[in-house]
Amino acid sequence: MYVGIAITALSIIGMFIRAFAMEGDTELLKTMLQKTVLVGLLLMSISKDKIEDEMTIQLRSQSYMVAFVVGVIYALVMPYIEFGVSNAVHAGGEEFKSLGDFQVLLFMLMIQLMFYHNLKRFR
């Protein structure tokens, strides 16, 4: 868990440094930092608790199920919401954009972690 937190935190700090302090073409660095954020969140997601029993395994599987369902709904609905809001704000016709893999995976991992820790807290 702590390794995942460290990797995620360092990657997010790296993203801020890349965005505000670096000049030039840094798309490769951006992609690498996005992948390390996902790896850090995945490590946090699959790490075992100090007390791992049948209840925590069930809560973890429930949180993965909820994250999958919410992630699919998010991936299906969000492009239309973004398109509608963009056209409402800007008078010109905006183009329809789909979500990227990073955005969907990040959302799903964050939902899983949030639901798992909330389910664990209120068991």
Side-chain angles (χ1 to χ4, degrees):
M1 177 68 96
Y2 296 117
V3 173
I5 292 171
I7 290 172
T8 303
L10 290 174
S11 298
I12 291 172
I13 291 169
M15 286 179 170
F16 279 112
I17 291 171
R18 185 200 72 82
F20 296 115
M22 295 183 137
E23 298 288 328
D25 186 29
T26 59
E27 285 300 314
L28 178 64
L29 180 62
K30 176 184 174 184
T31 304
M32 287 176 28
L33 289 170
Q34 286 177 344
K35 303 298 183 200
T36 55
V37 165
L38 290 176
V39 168
L41 287 174
L42 182 64
L43 286 174
M44 290 168 55
S45 175
I46 63 175
S47 67
K48 295 202 180 276
D49 291 337
K50 290 181 183 179
I51 302 170
E52 190 77 22
D53 57 359
E54 292 85 11
M55 177 68 108
T56 57
I57 293 170
Q58 181 183 8
L59 294 177
R60 183 170 283 136
S61 66
Q62 285 177 351
S63 68
Y64 279 119
M65 181 187 64
V66 168
F68 179 77
V69 170
V70 171
V72 169
I73 292 170
Y74 175 77
L76 291 174
V77 172
M78 193 60 193
Y80 297 107
I81 292 173
E82 190 174 312
F83 179 72
V85 169
S86 177
N87 282 333
V89 171
H90 299 97
E94 291 286 323
E95 63 186 44
F96 184 78
K97 296 180 274 187
S98 63
L99 299 176
D101 58 346
F102 172 73
Q103 188 174 357
V104 173
L105 290 173
L106 179 73
F107 181 77
M108 288 174 73
L109 284 168
M110 288 177 24
I111 290 294
Q112 189 274 328
L113 287 168
M114 180 185 68
F115 269 92
Y116 175 65
H117 289 289
N118 281 333
L119 288 172
K120 196 169 69 170
R121 181 182 307 152
F122 297 119
R123 59 175 145 154

